[in-house]
Each structure stands twice: as structure tokens, then as C-alpha cells.
Amino acid sequence: MDLRENLNWRAAVKKFDSSRKISHEDLQKLLDCLNLSPSSMGLQPYRFLHIKSKEIREKLLPFSFGQPQVVDASDFIVLASHTQINNEYIQKYADLLEQERNLAPEFKEAFLNSAKGYLSLMDQDQKMKWAAHQVYLASGVLLCTAASMQIDACPLEGFVNEKYNEILDLKSYHLHAELCVALGYRDPSDVISSLKKVRIPLDQMLIEF
Amino acid sequence: MDLRENLNWRAAVKKFDSSRKISHEDLQKLLDCLNLSPSSMGLQPYRFLHIKSKEIREKLLPFSFGQPQVVDASDFIVLASHTQINNEYIQKYADLLEQERNLAPEFKEAFLNSAKGYLSLMDQDQKMKWAAHQVYLASGVLLCTAASMQIDACPLEGFVNEKYNEILDLKSYHLHAELCVALGYRDPSDVISSLKKVRIPLDQMLIEF
């Protein structure tokens, strides 16, 4: 199937088959693609939390409005924005660029000035907004990748961010939980995936200028 | 190539070959996939603006920091959040659900209550934040789709949103320009796409719990 068919196939599965696990190889591909997501200035102002512990997933459940995907899905990923995109963070990224691309000093300097300049225009709230945008973009890449592999994925916004931060001690990592994605395989009894896919027709969504 | 290779191939192309156009069929696929993006409660709180007019693209250029993709790329899409996700909007979407899925009255009612309840918890600022998140998620789907077709795509956040709103008269559509995506084919002289792809290694991006 091509990607359009796969995106038509996908559904925000609520009931996962808890006996089916994503293979190590497929999970690696999902995470590699997620990490290949574009981000503003390439800064990747986020991190990915792979919640493997059943115990922790059960602790997160009551702060996820009891949505069963949190514990039943094969894998559960929390996408978290980075709360300290400061000059030190940018410097570290520029060092990586230099190393990977054998960057000449003047190009490194130009990148540093441009990135520091751009970020200096934002206060902390604006930075968090900007970082959250990059997280959502990355989640789109993850959902699209999963669909292309016919792996089910359900994005979850309905959870208590602060409680997730607390349970995972995200403050110590300078992270903030933005969005979760449950990954795995639909249970045959899942209702959502049996329903006809509905979208507002493209001719109403698209405006030509 | 598989999607991982295609995502490795993609680059935020700055210099497009202005003589190469995306075929009608490919463009249709890109837009179909974009419209298949998941969104919170399925509400698709956004619209897609396809800027076909050369004249309008030239008008947008000075408010895009002169980035040449705005005029050189084969196609230029503005993703805009919807500013009036109110009970009327939700009702219209529920009518569509009813029609497409032959929804029983009690299920329609349940959807209406749930969506209206969810949105009623947000003030206008929170709604705009929520809608922007859905736009960014959709942009990830578009960028991923383009990569899968080896069509170049450059997301642009660097533009004066208010000026775009004004030039495209988005207020009259209840829309706000959030993000643009230039689509087309890289020019052989494009620098970005000739550079080695750099990402913070996955073992630093991924935290296991």
C-alpha cells in the first residue's frame, strides 16, 4: 500500500492488542524516523521518553483519564519539550555541527550568531511555545511513519502534564511532557478502527489564492 | 527507498529549481495526505492555503525575510489555524460525522457533548494554542509525505504572520497563518541539501524509563 492508503488505514486506536509487541527492528525504525524529524534551526528542542516499565505506565494511567492505551499498547512514548534552550544548549549543538560537517570556524560562528539571535528574541513562554510546536511537528512524522509500517499509533493529549512531569521527574532533565503516542496493534474489538474514516472534504479545507 | 532513507534524504531546501513543477497527480497526493492528518477530536481546526498566484507570492516575499523559496518553489502552502472553533463549527462537524457514518442520534449527541465540553474548558488563547499544535502535527505529516515521494519541502516559520493574514485577508475566513511549506525540487546549487545530515544521536535523544 502507498502512504495515502496507509494514512486512510490508520485510526486513533483506543483498544490495543496487549499481547502483540512491536519488533525490536520496527521500533528502531520508528524511533530513527522520529529523530529525523525536521525542527526549527535543527535544534531538536525536545526529547523522547520511552516508558518501558509496566509499573510506571500503571502510575501514569490515572493521570491519563484512564485511557487503556497507556498500559495496553506495545510501546508508549512521551514527547517532551526541552525547557532550557539557552546559549549552552546552542553551543553544544554547534559543536556537533562542526564535528559532523567539518564546519569552518566562520560558518560555525554564523550559525551560533543566528541561532542565539533568534532565540534571544523570545522570552521563556515564547520559547516553550516554539518548542511545543517542534514536538507536534515531530509527532506528525512519527504518526506518518507508523502508518507507513501499518503499526497503530494513538496520539494522546488528554493527560495531566504536571503529573507526568512529576512521576517521570522530568524537571531534573529540563523537560516538560507535551504529548504521548501509544504504539502497537489494534485489538479486533477496537471500535474506532472499524468506523469509516471521516475528514472535512479537501475542497472545503483547501483555499486557492 | 524506504521512509527512513527518504527522511535521511530530505533537507530544508532553500534554493528550489524554479523550472520544475510538481505534477497535478503528485500534488493531489500531497494534499490528500495532509488532509488525512490526525487532529484533536478529528476537528481539523485549520485550513490549507495554496498560493498559486505568482503576484501574491511576490507580495508575501518581503514579509518572509526575502526567503527565495516563497517564490521559487513549485508550490507554496500556508497552513492556517481556524480562529472560531465554536459550537457552530462543532455542530457542522458532527453533522458530517452523522452523514458519513450513519451515526445513531445518541452517538452524535455523545460526540457533541464531549467536543463542546472539551473546547469549553479553553479560553480563546488556549484554543489558538491547541489549534496551532494541530497545524504543526499536520505539517509533520506533509513533510513526511513529501519525503516519501522524494519531493523537497521546506517548512518556514520566519514570516510576519500578521502581514500574511492581511495580504490574504485571512480574517474574513476566520484564519491565522501559522506555518508555511514550500514544495518542489532542489536546485543543484542548493547548499543545504549537499551537507551531511546532522541529528543529536538517538541515544542522547531517547530516555528509557
Side-chain angles (χ1 to χ4, degrees):
Chain A
M1 292 219 282
D2 86 342
L3 190 51
R4 180 163 40 189
E5 290 171 283
N6 281 325
L7 286 168
N8 257 311
W9 165 86
R10 81 161 292 286
V13 166
K14 302 285 175 284
K15 191 157 175 39
F16 282 82
D17 179 344
S18 61
S19 71
R20 287 190 69 190
K21 298 291 168 208
I22 297 175
S23 72
H24 179 77
E25 194 190 339
D26 281 350
L27 187 66
Q28 189 63 44
K29 186 174 169 186
L30 286 165
L31 295 171
D32 284 346
C33 288
L34 173 59
N35 201 35
L36 284 166
S37 176
S39 65
S40 176
M41 307 206 75
L43 288 168
Q44 300 176 262
Y46 43 69
R47 293 297 181 268
F48 317 125
L49 319 175
H50 185 194
I51 318 297
K52 298 176 101 166
S53 154
K54 195 88 187 160
E55 196 188 333
I56 297 178
R57 286 169 68 169
E58 264 155 19
K59 268 192 202 159
L60 297 173
L61 186 61
F63 305 106
S64 319
F65 302 98
Q67 295 176 90
Q69 310 93 296
V70 176
V71 288
D72 288 345
S74 167
D75 290 273
F76 191 66
I77 310 287
V78 180
L79 304 181
S81 51
H82 201 293
T83 62
Q84 290 198 0
I85 306 297
N86 51 24
N87 285 350
E88 196 189 324
Y89 185 100
I90 296 169
Q91 181 67 51
K92 241 181 126 176
Y93 180 72
D95 292 344
L96 176 70
L97 273 187
E98 179 184 31
Q99 177 196 312
E100 292 291 312
R101 288 185 180 161
N102 238 325
L103 215 57
E106 62 270 29
F107 288 116
K108 185 180 181 184
E109 203 55 32
F111 173 80
L112 276 168
N113 287 338
S114 154
K116 286 180 183 173
Y118 184 54
L119 270 296
S120 73
L121 300 173
M122 303 182 202
D123 63 24
Q124 182 61 14
D125 276 358
Q126 289 167 317
K127 272 195 206 173
M128 288 310 295
K129 186 180 156 185
W130 165 82
H133 288 170
Q134 313 310 315
V135 167
Y136 273 82
L137 196 162
S139 76
V141 172
L142 177 60
L143 295 169
C144 202
T145 302
S148 80
M149 299 165 72
Q150 295 228 347
I151 289 173
D152 280 303
C154 180
L156 286 92
E157 289 181 304
F159 63 94
V160 186
N161 309 57
E162 291 309 331
K163 277 291 178 183
Y164 268 53
N165 292 346
E166 202 181 299
I167 291 167
L168 303 170
D169 189 25
L170 295 189
K171 214 173 173 177
S172 74
Y173 297 94
H174 309 302
L175 295 175
H176 171 73
E178 291 283 356
L179 176 70
C180 309
V181 180
L183 293 159
Y185 299 95
R186 61 189 66 178
D187 190 90
S189 70
D190 178 61
V191 176
I192 293 283
S193 49
S194 71
L195 297 173
K196 183 182 172 191
K197 187 144 206 108
V198 175
R199 287 293 181 273
I200 301 170
L202 188 57
D203 60 8
Q204 289 169 45
M205 291 298 291
L206 186 71
I207 307 170
E208 294 186 350
F209 287 84
Chain B
M1 292 217 286
D2 86 340
L3 190 51
R4 180 162 43 188
E5 290 171 282
N6 281 324
L7 286 169
N8 257 311
W9 164 87
R10 83 160 292 285
V13 165
K14 301 285 177 284
K15 192 159 172 40
F16 282 82
D17 180 343
S18 60
S19 70
R20 287 190 69 190
K21 299 292 167 206
I22 297 175
S23 72
H24 178 78
E25 194 189 339
D26 281 350
L27 188 66
Q28 187 64 44
K29 186 175 169 186
L30 286 165
L31 295 171
D32 284 347
C33 288
L34 173 58
N35 201 36
L36 283 166
S37 176
S39 65
S40 175
M41 307 206 76
L43 288 169
Q44 300 177 262
Y46 44 67
R47 294 297 181 268
F48 318 126
L49 319 175
H50 185 194
I51 319 296
K52 299 176 101 166
S53 154
K54 195 87 185 163
E55 197 188 334
I56 297 178
R57 285 168 68 168
E58 264 155 19
K59 269 192 201 159
L60 297 174
L61 185 61
F63 305 106
S64 320
F65 302 97
Q67 295 176 89
Q69 311 94 294
V70 176
V71 287
D72 288 346
S74 167
D75 290 272
F76 191 66
I77 310 286
V78 181
L79 305 181
S81 52
H82 201 292
T83 61
Q84 292 200 357
I85 306 296
N86 50 25
N87 285 350
E88 196 189 324
Y89 185 101
I90 296 169
Q91 181 67 50
K92 241 181 124 175
Y93 180 73
D95 292 344
L96 176 70
L97 272 186
E98 180 185 29
Q99 176 197 313
E100 292 291 311
R101 288 184 179 161
N102 240 324
L103 215 57
E106 62 270 28
F107 287 118
K108 185 179 181 184
E109 203 54 32
F111 172 80
L112 277 168
N113 288 339
S114 155
K116 286 181 184 174
Y118 184 53
L119 270 295
S120 73
L121 300 173
M122 303 182 201
D123 63 25
Q124 181 61 13
D125 277 357
Q126 289 168 316
K127 271 194 206 174
M128 289 310 296
K129 186 179 155 185
W130 165 83
H133 288 170
Q134 313 311 315
V135 167
Y136 272 84
L137 195 163
S139 77
V141 172
L142 177 59
L143 294 169
C144 202
T145 302
S148 80
M149 299 165 72
Q150 295 227 350
I151 290 174
D152 280 303
C154 180
L156 286 92
E157 287 181 305
F159 64 94
V160 186
N161 309 56
E162 290 309 331
K163 277 291 178 183
Y164 268 53
N165 291 347
E166 202 181 299
I167 291 167
L168 302 171
D169 189 25
L170 296 189
K171 215 173 173 176
S172 73
Y173 297 94
H174 309 304
L175 295 175
H176 172 73
E178 291 283 355
L179 177 70
C180 309
V181 180
L183 293 159
Y185 298 95
R186 61 188 67 177
D187 190 271
S189 70
D190 179 62
V191 176
I192 294 284
S193 50
S194 71
L195 297 172
K196 184 181 171 191
K197 187 144 207 109
V198 176
R199 288 291 182 274
I200 301 169
L202 188 58
D203 60 7
Q204 289 169 46
M205 291 299 291
L206 187 72
I207 307 170
E208 292 186 349
F209 287 84

